[in-house]
Amino acid sequence: MYTEFFGLKEKPFELTPSPRFLYLSESHKEALALLRYGVMEQKGFVLLTGEVGTGKTTVVHVLLSRLDKSVKCIYLSNPLLSTKDLLSYLAFSAFGRKVQFKSKVQFLVVFEEYLKRVSQHQRKFLMIIDEAQRLSFEMLEEIRLFSNLETDERKLVNIFLIGQPELNENLSDPRCRPLLQRISIRHHLAPLSLPETREYVATRLKVAGAEDPDFFFDKKVLKALHKYSSGYPRLINVLADNALLLAYSRGKKKVTAGMASGEERRR
């Protein structure tokens, strides 16, 4: 709607993740490095947490885009499954077809043989569970049992738990002590600092076609964006998009701090 008015090729602050708009803060870079290390060194359980909108899923997608074919990955974005559904999902993802098993024991025997074949061909198996804070204690225990699948030299399954800070609370429960003890790597994504917020906004505007990103958002506006978003990328997108829309509706080429904070919309 406002792109032509501002001389942009596309909207710079869409909520849908796009690799072209990728910006990684120091915390994101560290998270990405740790996740990659967890895969390549087959460290078993890895934990990544962060508040809503900090970019956890973005980091995961960047990781997946940079892994080669030696890594077989299963990505579970909806963890609200029963044990039976989880096993069926794993079987379909691993074997590429629906496979019926008479019991969980039979599944584990066949699945372990599959994982050993994967390992023998110098490949790695990775299971990523997003929104893991929604997993029940029963499911967390089921997932822990997969870590028992190993050889004398290495883990056969790498499991990444990605979730909001509540996941740490769940894992602190005595019922999760065996799982907590097996987590070898953990990282908490921090929100963007003010300088990082400036870089984030500038990156997205440049990709969208802005010749001078500072023209739209001066230092006062960026400070307001950082303050009212608390440095969370998703909220920065929402506030910045709304600010550009408000400026467009008023025929203004520059965004003010009031537009960025939402104060002018409430007048």
Side-chain angles (χ1 to χ4, degrees):
M1 180 183 291
Y2 57 68
T3 51
E4 185 176 347
F5 178 78
F6 289 112
L8 301 173
K9 298 177 183 178
E10 57 187 311
K11 294 179 71 175
F13 299 105
E14 293 279 25
L15 294 180
T16 305
S18 170
R20 292 188 303 105
F21 287 91
L22 179 64
Y23 171 81
L24 296 177
S25 68
E26 288 305 312
S27 184
H28 288 85
K29 291 176 182 177
E30 184 179 350
L32 184 59
L34 289 172
L35 292 182
R36 183 170 179 79
Y37 176 77
V39 177
M40 304 315 294
E41 297 300 322
Q42 296 178 273
K43 302 300 289 185
F45 275 106
V46 176
L47 175 66
L48 176 64
T49 57
E51 293 286 354
V52 176
T54 48
K56 300 182 297 296
T57 301
T58 297
V59 169
V60 170
H61 284 301
V62 173
L63 172 72
L64 294 177
S65 71
R66 296 182 181 180
L67 294 177
D68 58 35
K69 294 182 179 180
S70 67
V71 181
K72 168 66 176 179
C73 179
I74 292 178
Y75 180 74
L76 183 62
S77 59
N78 180 12
L80 296 180
L81 301 174
S82 66
T83 300
K84 182 179 179 181
D85 289 337
L86 176 63
L87 298 184
S88 296
Y89 182 82
L90 286 175
F92 182 81
S93 299
F95 307 125
R97 66 184 190 279
K98 289 185 178 180
V99 183
Q100 297 294 329
F101 295 97
K102 295 180 181 179
S103 66
K104 183 168 69 175
V105 172
Q106 185 187 37
F107 166 81
L108 289 174
V109 170
V110 175
F111 191 54
E112 184 173 14
E113 287 301 316
Y114 164 79
L115 293 174
K116 287 180 178 178
R117 290 196 301 272
V118 168
S119 180
Q120 288 168 359
H121 287 84
Q122 303 302 312
R123 300 184 66 193
K124 301 173 180 63
F125 189 91
L126 171 63
M127 179 165 63
I128 299 176
I129 303 176
D130 209 346
E131 299 294 335
Q133 76 280 352
R134 303 171 70 185
L135 289 168
S136 66
F137 288 111
E138 178 185 2
M139 284 301 296
L140 285 169
E141 176 61 13
E142 290 288 344
I143 291 167
R144 181 190 71 81
L145 294 176
F146 285 118
S147 66
N148 291 332
L149 301 175
E150 58 187 2
T151 66
D152 293 336
E153 300 177 348
R154 63 178 66 90
K155 296 286 186 182
L156 292 174
V157 180
N158 295 293
I159 303 173
F160 288 4
L161 299 176
I162 317 295
Q164 297 170 25
E166 299 94 295
L167 178 56
N168 285 315
E169 298 176 14
N170 295 343
L171 293 173
S172 297
D173 188 281
R175 287 172 287 184
C176 288
R177 185 175 300 166
L179 171 55
L180 187 62
Q181 292 174 346
R182 297 192 180 204
I183 295 175
S184 57
I185 299 175
R186 59 171 63 207
H187 181 77
H188 184 78
L189 271 180
L192 303 183
S193 65
L194 178 56
E196 288 172 338
T197 297
R198 293 191 184 114
E199 293 175 2
Y200 176 82
V201 171
T203 297
R204 298 190 73 94
L205 284 168
K206 286 178 182 177
V207 173
E211 294 183 3
D212 182 11
D214 295 337
F215 177 80
F216 302 106
F217 296 87
D218 61 24
K219 291 183 179 180
K220 289 184 179 179
V221 174
L222 290 167
K223 190 173 182 179
L225 279 176
H226 180 261
K227 176 182 177 181
Y228 289 97
S229 68
S230 298
Y232 296 149
R234 189 181 301 169
L235 282 179
I236 293 173
N237 284 4
V238 171
L239 291 173
D241 183 67
N242 287 340
L244 286 173
L245 182 59
L246 183 58
Y248 163 74
S249 69
R250 296 185 178 180
K252 305 291 185 181
K253 289 288 187 178
K254 297 193 69 172
V255 174
T256 67
M259 293 176 184
S261 67
E263 292 178 359
E264 292 194 20
R265 285 190 294 275
R266 293 190 287 269
R267 293 177 184 173

